[in-house]
Amino acid sequence: MLDAEVRELMQPFVLSDYQVQEVYSRFCLEVARGLKRSTHPQANVKCFPTYVQDLPTGDEMGKYLALDLGGTNFRVLLVSLKGHHDATVDSQIYAVPKDLMVGSGVQLFDHIAGCLAKFVEKHDMKTAYLPLGFTFSFPCVQLGLKEGLLVRWTKGFDCAGVEGEDVGRMLHEAIQRRGDADIAVVAILNDTTGTLMSCAHRNADCRVGVIVGTGCNACYVEDVENVDLLRADFKKSKRSVIVNAEWGAFGEGGQLDFVRTEYDREVDEKSINRAEQLFEKMTAGMYLGNLVRLVLLRALERKLIFKQSSRRPEFAGVLQRNEEVFETRYISEIEDDSFPEFASTRKIVRNLFGLEKASVEDCQTLRYICECVAKRAATLVAIGVSGLVNRTSNRRVIVGMDGSVYRYHPKFDAYMRQTLQKLVKADKEWDIMLSEDGSGRGAALVAAVASKSK
Ligand code: BGC
């Protein structure tokens, strides 16, 4: 049985029906404000047009390179589209060293171009002409399909000299500086766009793409008449365009203050992008573990966990010393654990604190803390998804999902569905589908669809 005091501790994370409805209304308002030219500058859900206007048909063919930059690793991929909704992907992961994440932009792009050259050489394609789709998972103002100006760094990146610049051009210049491969950057896209495209490749009803990984964001298909910022010449021949919501920034106008907890405020205050990406800081993998860490500290202080142990101050020390010590993946492992053995939970506790035998009660408390933090994240994500699903003009809407939190958390999907059931309009038929490598396959598809429409 859980202590009443533990429930009380976690109460601020439990969203009431009223709060869910209120966040939903505020979110929908921000989306509408982001789309409108007159309110866009103040809106915090920016809704950037992506210039991706055609969804794949499944018959796309050809070899494409894709680059995927947006988290702690980046990947280079060779995607062969084979028609009949089929594709094969060959990829290589490269680390982004911490110092490069906060170094100069030129250094970052030189490093990427270097890895790209190695990859092409390994695949014996140094002399082949290769079109490249660049999945760049940060907020960008797109001026066209292959021009994207970085608005701001997120997720721990802070490279000098890139904000306000065209990242497509910076990558192109880095490739030119080396001069050892014939690669053309033909498209820049967000990972959410890649997710939507890769799901649409398999299911024509996909209209929303969502990432809940290191960061959190979504895109959706909107009618061109509603997208004021789309250049007029792009409204003539096509009815719709993918809009990158950049919902991670939701709340920067105070909209979430009525549900943010003291722990959310502390996560924000200690981050390198203070007062920015507030919705992301409540939902994304980069922050969820840290939230649990802060709640655990409070639980230790109030003697709500590890009550039998005299080593509580020492445990608190472990949690205080390192913000990243409680990894987000532990949340998934703990919620996946079986009662009453709690084998994974006990292992995590042993590794963190050197505590050999956590009691069943301790494990239950820890699990409840994780559950409340993850469930709130899933509820918030589902509020956003409902807002976007309800905006689309289709009756049947598939939501394409990806990201480590969604993928590996055993209940994230179920938590999301509970909220979607409450908020999505009754006349819509919806479902969620897991994306297959959106950042790779999706990038190749954007590149392929772009060459087709030329
Ligand atoms: C970025 C988005 C991205 C999301 C998921 C956020 O921090 O702003 O552009 O889609 O992370 O990777």
Side-chain angles (χ1 to χ4, degrees):
M1 267 295 284
L2 266 179
D3 233 34
E5 278 179 281
V6 174
R7 287 193 189 279
E8 192 197 311
L9 174 79
M10 295 316 290
Q11 198 50 41
F13 284 90
V14 181
L15 298 177
S16 67
D17 284 350
Y18 163 76
Q19 286 173 320
V20 168
Q21 276 296 339
E22 188 59 31
V23 174
Y24 174 79
S25 308
R26 293 177 185 204
F27 174 78
C28 293
L29 191 70
E30 277 310 293
V31 171
R33 277 161 42 83
L35 289 166
K36 260 200 135 14
R37 189 179 297 278
S38 57
T39 43
H40 176 85
Q42 286 81 40
N44 46 62
V45 180
K46 288 290 185 195
C47 290
F48 296 117
T50 63
Y51 292 86
V52 179
Q53 296 193 277
D54 292 299
L55 298 184
T57 53
D59 59 7
E60 292 76 15
M61 311 267 281
K63 274 190 196 300
Y64 294 88
L65 276 179
L67 259 189
D68 174 19
L69 178 75
T72 37
N73 293 319
F74 89 96
R75 292 184 311 155
V76 183
L77 310 97
L78 177 64
V79 184
S80 310
L81 299 175
K82 304 189 157 173
H84 308 290
H85 307 267
D86 195 19
T88 54
V89 181
D90 193 351
S91 70
Q92 175 94 41
I93 297 186
Y94 301 87
V96 183
K98 273 243 153 101
D99 52 321
L100 272 189
M101 287 172 71
V102 292
S104 86
V106 169
Q107 267 172 340
L108 176 72
F109 282 98
D110 279 343
H111 176 69
I112 294 174
C115 296
L116 202 50
K118 265 190 247 158
F119 182 87
V120 171
E121 174 150 30
K122 191 176 129 203
H123 286 80
D124 224 5
M125 293 185 311
K126 270 186 102 167
T127 52
Y129 166 77
L130 290 164
L132 178 144
F134 183 16
T135 306
F136 181 76
S137 307
F138 300 93
C140 283
V141 172
Q142 298 230 191
L143 305 174
L145 196 56
K146 55 181 177 182
E147 292 138 314
L149 312 183
L150 174 65
V151 176
R152 60 158 73 144
W153 287 111
T154 59
K155 295 176 283 196
F157 275 78
D158 194 14
C159 301
V162 192
E163 286 182 356
E165 297 296 324
D166 177 359
V167 292
R169 181 186 49 78
M170 290 191 80
L171 174 62
H172 170 76
E173 286 172 0
I175 295 171
Q176 295 299 106
R177 273 196 289 281
R178 298 185 57 92
D180 53 359
D182 189 11
I183 296 169
V185 182
V186 298
I188 295 177
L189 61 146
N190 190 258
D191 49 357
T192 57
T193 305
T195 299
L196 195 161
M197 292 292 278
S198 84
C199 288
H201 190 226
R202 290 189 299 149
N203 187 323
D205 289 322
C206 186
R207 290 292 178 281
V208 180
V210 184
I211 298 280
V212 194
T214 307
C216 180
N217 185 22
C219 71
Y220 74 108
V221 177
E222 178 62 273
D223 297 342
V224 287
E225 307 92 79
N226 297 331
V227 189
D228 283 1
L229 296 166
L230 185 67
R231 274 167 39 198
D233 45 327
F234 283 83
K235 294 190 178 184
K236 285 190 196 126
S237 54
K238 300 278 156 73
R239 283 182 39 218
S240 55
V241 61
I242 297 181
V243 164
N244 171 10
E246 283 298 336
W247 74 20
F250 179 45
E252 290 177 19
Q255 296 89 341
L256 291 168
D257 289 356
F258 76 115
V259 286
R260 288 173 73 222
T261 64
E262 58 180 294
Y263 313 99
D264 296 304
R265 284 191 283 277
E266 182 160 354
V267 164
D268 177 49
E269 269 154 31
K270 302 250 166 78
S271 67
I272 70 164
N273 53 349
R274 253 180 97 162
E276 292 182 355
Q277 302 294 105
L278 299 182
F279 186 74
E280 177 161 85
K281 285 173 181 160
M282 300 167 91
T283 52
M286 181 154 181
Y287 307 99
L288 296 181
N290 195 10
L291 281 170
V292 171
R293 176 187 76 94
L294 293 173
V295 177
L296 263 180
L297 271 169
R298 185 55 43 86
L300 281 168
E301 183 189 300
R302 293 200 195 154
K303 290 199 190 154
L304 299 178
I305 193 166
F306 307 129
K307 292 179 199 161
Q308 329 296 358
S309 177
S310 56
R311 291 172 56 210
R312 271 194 319 279
E314 186 192 319
F315 302 162
V318 169
L319 295 172
Q320 267 150 358
R321 269 192 297 281
N322 177 358
E323 275 182 14
E324 289 166 23
V325 71
F326 196 94
E327 296 178 32
T328 296
R329 70 183 167 92
Y330 298 161
I331 299 178
S332 300
E333 289 168 21
I334 290 170
E335 274 200 70
D336 214 8
D337 218 358
S338 56
F339 175 89
E341 297 81 12
F342 283 115
S344 312
T345 310
R346 289 194 159 113
K347 190 168 162 211
I348 290 167
V349 168
R350 196 180 316 122
N351 291 344
L352 277 176
F353 306 122
L355 182 70
E356 276 311 319
K357 281 203 189 82
S359 68
V360 169
E361 194 196 351
D362 288 336
C363 293
Q364 279 177 305
T365 302
L366 181 53
R367 166 133 95 193
Y368 185 65
I369 293 173
C370 291
E371 184 186 305
C372 291
V373 170
K375 192 167 185 178
R376 186 190 65 164
T379 306
L380 290 170
V381 169
I383 289 173
V385 171
S386 306
L388 301 184
V389 168
N390 288 340
R391 273 200 76 94
T392 58
S393 42
N394 295 55
R395 195 183 67 80
R396 199 178 142 64
V397 181
I398 300 288
V399 179
M401 297 272 322
D402 208 347
S404 49
V405 174
Y406 176 77
R407 214 173 247 279
Y408 301 121
H409 190 285
K411 298 191 191 138
F412 209 85
D413 178 86
Y415 293 153
M416 276 184 66
R417 284 173 193 269
Q418 285 172 14
T419 302
L420 281 158
Q421 247 136 29
K422 288 187 205 157
L423 296 177
V424 176
K425 289 183 197 152
D427 61 350
K428 297 260 183 203
E429 206 182 297
W430 58 269
D431 203 356
I432 300 179
M433 133 180 208
L434 184 64
S435 153
E436 245 177 65
D437 200 3
S439 301
R441 220 152 65 115
L445 285 165
V446 170
V449 165
S451 2
K452 229 194 316 191
S453 63
K454 266 190 202 153

